[in-house]
Amino acid sequence: MSTRQYEGTAVPAGIPADAGIDIGGTKIAALIVDEQGAVLARGSSPAPAREGGAAMADAAAALVTRLCIEAGASLRAAGVGAAGVVDHASGTIRAASETFVDWVGFPLADELSARLGVPVRIENDVNAFLLGEAAGRDDRDVLGVMLGTGVGGAIIVDGDLRHGPHGAAGEIGHTPGYSDLRCTCGQTGHLETLASGTSIGARYADRTGASLDSREVADRARTGDADAIAVFRDAGRALALACASAATLLDVPVAIVGGGVARAWDLLAPAVEETLRTDAPITGIPLRVIPASKGGDAVALGAIESARRAHAVPAY
Ligand SMILES: [Zn+2]
């Protein structure tokens, strides 16, 4: 049996497969997927974000290698979805939150490729989320919105993920006009001031003085708390308005909404549906705004899709 060496660990040749890696500030999650799309192995490990890029690459490579051994998989390519502004052409991180030490400028794709012995593609995590959610759908034009700590966005047009000349296409969270509130970016009125997890908590605190996270505000809304219901109504309306604007500009008929806040879809949906009735694109696009369906796997699945497209690895 032929073997490939990784830091003294023999990886036996086995089932052809690809790895998807979701790198966040606290956790690295990975999937090993065969050519037909079946998940062969799944796992996670703590992200040593404060120890620098090399430590992160070591941890990701060790996780993938362990999962490949578990699954009897022979790796062909790997994709990474990473938080921050990603230069997918050079395979480096261009900007990231201060949680990540020695991460900006780190040649993540090259470093991981050297450790794993296969080509590696890196992609922004929201872009990867949308590729993962859109895979297997008939729609060739899809907007993605991630309602997490902040609000991220991504766009697929005619089947291709749009990066834009500055790698910033789809940044719907920092489009203006939704409130008079100061945004995390320093500007005023952005979608993020109403629809992020952080903002759900902050807007509830504005109304009541109570300091809760978005999940706790959701729990209160479900017990009939009028302030909590209003916070989600404002978030849902702003989300739908942003999606309607994007749909009108780009002729995109579906928006997929993920992230922690989207788990409270029951609370967002009434305002989303009402706003889609009152502010539908006048062009007649039958816009649907729907919750994500692939849960915690979406980023890793999309990272695999990105790697397969970039390296022309056959999926079937
Ligand atoms: Zn902003």
Side-chain angles (χ1 to χ4, degrees):
M1 182 182 282
S2 68
T3 58
R4 189 168 57 238
Q5 296 297 314
Y6 166 68
E7 290 186 353
T9 307
V11 181
I15 305 161
D18 303 310
I21 310 167
D22 177 0
I23 298 185
T26 58
K27 190 178 85 171
I28 300 172
L31 292 176
I32 309 297
V33 172
D34 74 8
E35 291 168 289
Q36 283 74 40
V39 175
L40 302 177
R42 173 190 275 112
S44 66
S45 64
R50 295 183 191 286
E51 293 169 34
M56 291 283 267
D58 285 343
L63 173 61
V64 168
T65 302
R66 173 168 67 77
L67 294 175
C68 281
I69 292 169
E70 246 177 65
S74 179
L75 209 56
R76 306 179 303 175
V80 176
V85 181
V86 169
D87 184 340
H88 60 278
S90 69
T92 58
I93 309 290
R94 230 189 258 165
S97 84
E98 57 199 20
T99 313
F100 297 86
V101 173
D102 180 31
W103 192 236
V104 174
F106 184 73
L108 180 61
D110 288 348
E111 292 284 331
L112 259 182
S113 183
R115 285 164 174 76
L116 292 171
V118 297
V120 173
R121 167 84 167 185
I122 67 171
E123 188 55 82
N124 164 268
D125 58 350
V126 183
N127 285 345
F129 152 78
L130 181 56
L131 279 175
E133 286 288 337
R137 295 183 64 91
D138 291 335
D139 309 283
R140 291 183 56 78
D141 300 272
V142 189
L143 174 70
V145 186
M146 183 77 99
L147 306 179
T149 308
V151 175
I155 306 172
I156 291 174
V157 175
D158 198 19
D160 288 328
L161 189 65
R162 308 312 299 181
H163 292 92
H166 310 96
E171 281 299 347
I172 200 165
H174 298 280
T175 53
Y178 301 97
S179 75
D180 298 320
L181 300 157
R182 175 64 69 93
C183 187
T184 54
C185 68
Q187 295 190 16
T188 300
H190 291 173
L191 173 61
E192 185 166 304
T193 64
L194 296 177
S196 72
T198 311
S199 295
I200 297 283
R203 300 294 78 82
Y204 187 74
D206 292 346
R207 287 170 168 269
T208 65
S211 179
L212 302 181
D213 66 23
S214 61
R215 191 178 303 183
E216 293 166 329
V217 178
D219 289 342
R220 287 211 181 176
R222 293 191 185 102
T223 64
D225 181 322
D227 288 308
I229 291 169
V231 166
F232 276 95
R233 183 191 64 217
D234 291 349
R237 174 163 174 77
L239 169 67
L241 287 174
C243 291
S245 292
T248 302
L249 283 175
L250 298 166
D251 191 2
V252 171
V254 62
I256 301 176
V257 185
V261 175
R263 284 199 282 271
W265 194 253
D266 56 319
L267 301 170
L268 295 168
V272 168
E273 295 306 324
E274 185 191 335
T275 305
L276 291 179
R277 282 194 296 275
T278 58
D279 296 80
I282 60 163
T283 44
I285 301 161
L287 173 62
R288 287 166 299 136
V289 179
I290 59 175
S293 63
K294 295 184 181 168
D297 285 348
V299 171
L301 288 171
I304 290 171
E305 179 69 19
S306 176
R308 285 176 170 171
R309 290 182 182 194
H311 302 296
V313 177
Y316 297 99

